[in-house]
């Protein structure tokens, strides 16, 4: 369900992401998870969003009808995972799960910048379901 590519020296445990993927994907769907550093995600953010700074998570939907291809890619900065987990006092794996949920919801077509709270509601539901700390959307609204 998750095709993982780790471009870092971090040793994040991603096994907790499988139940999240199962909750949001059909059995035939897959998603590509790319773990990278701040330099790589900064470059992607600059190229694809015109924002020249690192971010925590980016999503790249594939928009393909070809069977067997991933739904898209979720790119997460492990540098941001570690820093935010330390700052907020929870585990890196919990932070990774929050970012994965956020990225996967974007691949599913949710857009918190343009919807009427649907993404936030779905994210909050998943956070409760998987017993995770505050969501990315809630944190940025404070």
């Amino acid at each position: 369900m998750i095709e993982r590519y780790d471009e870092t020296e971090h040793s994040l445990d991603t096994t907790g992401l499988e139940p999240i993927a199962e909750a949001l994907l059909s059995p035939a769907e897959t998603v590509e998870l790319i773990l990278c550093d701040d330099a790589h995600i900064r470059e992607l953010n600059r190229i694809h969003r015109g924002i020249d700074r690192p971010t925590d998570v980016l999503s790249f939907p594939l928009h393909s009808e070809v069977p067997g291809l991933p739904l898209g890619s979720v790119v997460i900065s492990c540098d941001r995972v570690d820093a935010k987990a330390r700052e907020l006092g929870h585990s890196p794996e919990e932070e990774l799960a929050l970012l994965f949920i956020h990225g996967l919801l974007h691949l599913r077509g949710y857009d918190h910048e343009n919807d009427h709270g649907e993404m936030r509601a779905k994210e909050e539901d998943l956070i409760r379901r998987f017993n995770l700390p505050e969501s990315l959307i809630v944190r940025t609204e404070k």
Side-chain angles (χ1 to χ4, degrees):
M1 205 160 256
I2 299 174
E3 298 172 14
R4 176 187 165 160
Y5 302 93
D6 193 343
E7 300 175 354
T8 71
E9 299 297 318
H10 291 77
S11 58
L12 286 171
D13 179 6
T14 60
T15 56
L17 302 181
E18 285 295 338
I20 295 167
E22 289 172 10
L24 289 169
L25 300 174
S26 74
E29 290 178 311
T30 61
V31 64
E32 182 179 63
L33 172 63
I34 301 170
L35 301 175
C36 66
D37 60 16
D38 272 356
H40 185 180
I41 208 163
R42 178 182 184 165
E43 183 68 5
L44 291 173
N45 205 22
R46 185 186 62 73
I47 292 168
H48 296 282
R49 298 180 65 223
I51 301 172
D52 190 14
R53 69 173 186 261
T55 189
D56 45 16
V57 60
L58 293 171
S59 297
F60 297 98
L62 191 52
H63 302 298
S64 174
E65 299 298 320
V66 178
L69 289 180
L71 181 63
S73 301
V74 175
V75 182
I76 297 176
S77 168
C78 290
D79 295 333
R80 298 277 145 184
V81 166
D82 289 342
K84 194 54 83 168
R86 274 192 310 276
E87 176 188 332
L88 298 175
H90 55 252
S91 75
E93 285 74 20
E94 288 172 318
E95 185 65 22
L96 180 66
L98 289 169
L99 295 174
F100 184 68
I101 287 170
H102 191 84
L104 200 47
L105 286 174
H106 276 300
L107 290 183
R108 282 269 157 274
Y110 289 89
D111 184 357
H112 56 91
E113 294 178 3
N114 297 307
D115 70 15
H116 300 286
E118 293 90 353
M119 183 170 176
R120 178 181 178 166
K122 184 67 172 176
E123 193 173 69
E124 288 296 320
D125 176 58
L126 290 163
I127 286 166
R128 280 190 300 278
R129 183 172 169 184
F130 294 103
N131 196 31
L132 294 167
E134 272 189 341
S135 78
L136 185 63
I137 295 172
V138 170
R139 290 191 318 230
T140 58
E141 291 176 346
K142 288 185 174 182

